[in-house]
Amino acid sequence: MKVVVDELPVPLESTHHGDGYYSSLKAYYDLLLCPACKEVTLRKHLWDDHLEPEVEYKILYPQFIGATHNLDSNELYHFPEKVRKAYKAALTVKSIDANAYGVLLGRTLESVCIDQETVVKGNLYNSLQEMSKKGKIPDKLFSIARRLKDFRNVGAHAFMGELTEEEIPILEKLCQMILSYLYELPMLDRNSEQVLDSLKKKNAESR
């Protein structure tokens, strides 16, 4: 991407380290232009002389609306590598070509089946059905996954028609329902259990 606005600094806090030396934590904002879709991306990173030299960027805009919250490419760290890679690839073409988006979401589904160890003869429908039989997803979610597979087929085969921008929100919701159930809900369950255990421990210590 081409950087069109380079590192606008915003001071956040200053720290006195003695001997008259101060360090200042700043947030830097960049605006980038995508050569493919002609849309802009706003990203942010923090910098201080005492931070590690590696810069970690966070995408502030655009964000992709998920079933439970925003699922942008910065929030997929808890996904398995194959699933994360396939889903991020789909996000890159979302605003460029609806057919390609549908096909890559289908590849994301295939990666999910590989991760869940439910691949049946390289057939996506049978693999999703196997996932349902093993109890990894409920019947309703199997129905959602099957619909997404059908949209994938339309995007992949010209003789079946073509996907348009109007179908993109549906594709997005279908895929993110599956990803949220398999990867986000378990993480939320673990995190909430840890918080509850911490609260119980604090309450016991305060008695």
Side-chain angles (χ1 to χ4, degrees):
M1 290 190 181
K2 180 181 179 181
V3 177
V4 291
V5 177
D6 185 20
E7 294 195 348
L8 291 175
V10 177
L12 298 179
E13 62 182 41
S14 296
T15 304
H16 180 240
H17 297 279
D19 298 328
Y21 175 68
Y22 286 86
S23 64
S24 179
L25 180 65
K26 295 180 181 179
Y28 288 87
Y29 297 86
D30 303 309
L31 196 62
L32 305 107
L33 178 66
C34 176
C37 66
K38 307 303 180 185
E39 295 292 338
V40 295
T41 294
L42 176 64
R43 69 181 183 181
K44 167 188 175 182
H45 73 274
L46 300 178
W47 180 255
D48 186 292
D49 292 338
H50 295 278
L51 293 177
E52 295 295 326
E54 293 83 7
V55 174
E56 182 176 346
Y57 291 97
K58 180 176 182 180
I59 303 298
L60 302 180
Y61 177 87
Q63 291 189 332
F64 303 92
I65 307 302
T68 55
H69 60 76
N70 289 343
L71 274 182
D72 68 24
S73 59
N74 290 314
E75 296 177 345
L76 309 181
Y77 59 90
H78 53 285
F79 284 22
E81 178 61 28
K82 281 184 176 292
V83 177
R84 179 169 65 248
K85 183 178 179 181
Y87 185 62
K88 287 178 70 174
L91 294 182
T92 61
V93 302
K94 176 186 169 187
S95 60
I96 302 173
D97 186 272
N99 289 309
Y101 182 55
V103 170
L104 289 178
L105 288 184
R107 187 176 180 86
T108 302
L109 270 186
E110 293 174 349
S111 300
V112 168
C113 292
I114 293 172
D115 174 65
Q116 298 296 316
E117 300 180 347
T118 60
V119 177
V120 178
K121 296 180 181 179
N123 182 285
L124 182 53
Y125 175 83
N126 291 340
S127 298
L128 293 172
Q129 193 172 48
E130 181 71 8
M131 196 184 304
S132 178
K133 287 180 179 178
K134 287 187 174 181
K136 293 179 179 288
I137 56 174
D139 291 342
K140 179 57 70 174
L141 203 61
F142 166 67
S143 178
I144 287 174
R146 186 179 61 189
R147 295 285 180 269
L148 184 57
K149 175 199 69 71
D150 293 341
F151 278 114
R152 186 281 306 263
N153 291 345
V154 174
H157 304 292
F159 62 82
M160 294 184 67
E162 91 177 296
L163 301 174
T164 68
E165 290 183 0
E166 293 182 1
E167 287 79 51
I168 285 179
I170 299 174
L171 297 172
E172 184 177 49
K173 291 295 185 183
L174 290 175
C175 185
Q176 292 185 350
M177 281 285 184
I178 298 164
L179 297 180
S180 293
Y181 181 86
L182 287 172
Y183 303 115
E184 293 197 285
L185 289 182
M187 185 182 69
L188 176 62
D189 183 43
R190 290 192 299 270
N191 290 346
S192 60
E193 183 179 13
Q194 291 173 359
V195 172
L196 283 171
D197 289 343
S198 178
L199 287 174
K200 291 176 181 177
K201 182 177 180 181
K202 288 181 179 179
N203 288 337
E205 292 175 349
S206 64
R207 291 174 183 171

